[in-house]
Amino acid sequence: MNSPLDPTGPGPHAGLEAPHVLAGIPMRLWRIVSLAPHRLLMLDHDGTLAPFHAVRERAVPPPRTLELVRGIATTASTDVAIVSGRPIGELQALLGGLPISLVGEHGWEWREAGGQLVRHALPEGAEVRLARAEEVARGAGFTPYLERKRTCIAVHTRGLAEPLAREVEESVAFAWGRDVVAPPLRLTRFDGGIELRVAGRDKGTAVTQLLEGEAIATLAVYLGDDRTDEDAFEALRDRGFGVRVGAPDRATLATGWLSGPEEVVAFLEAWLRIAGGERLATG
Ligand SMILES: [Mg+2]
């Protein structure tokens, strides 16, 4: 008898059809989704659920995406979590009330579905060093590109022509120098800039912590588009599936890919169809 997890065998769920249109998603993922007793679906926000917008406050997911996330989260068989670099307050403003867990600031803020906001304290020295980084960057004339958050300072270069974007990023990093770019901070690149972040928590540790709250046989799937999502893909190796959102032209630890937020909609539709199961009584 063929194993249901064997992508070449017919298996008991060979009738799954529509997901074939998603070229980057291996058929075995849908088989495992259909067989798993319980699932945890983790989703990045910007560039995954929400298309990028030059004004960050306007980067909202399309109504259909929100409807699908709500639909999946109100089934009994899938828990949904959003894992983002944004603070939870911003996520709530963009997403409205959804019955899902929110992980903000790359894991420094948590709010379980219906629970209280938990904000982890930063390690000693982090705030002083971030303040110093901000002072140096503003002093060097980079204020238009800066975004200061509790756990990081970001230099946004999205929308700038390529040579200028690189120049701004390199100049800020140079201005910071080794006395600012040092533990407990780490300098990381993202699509559209660089950021100096407090080390110790990232999307990988967030995924690991979310899984600790789940039953052992839970299938974990994570969708994300950026370099910071690679930590999550790595945490899921051998424990689930990472799906990278974006053209399949970059080295990644993810197992599958979706071309952009439009294909994420098709992915969520397929998920709801295959894993829909029972509705929660409260849903
Ligand atoms: Mg993203």
Side-chain angles (χ1 to χ4, degrees), residues 44-50 52 83-85 191 203 222-229:
D44 166 52
H45 179 267
D46 291 83
T48 298
L49 295 181
F52 287 110
V83 182
S84 174
D191 286 335
K203 289 182 170 185
Y222 183 102
L223 272 59
D225 68 299
D226 211 335
R227 287 179 171 84
T228 58
D229 297 303

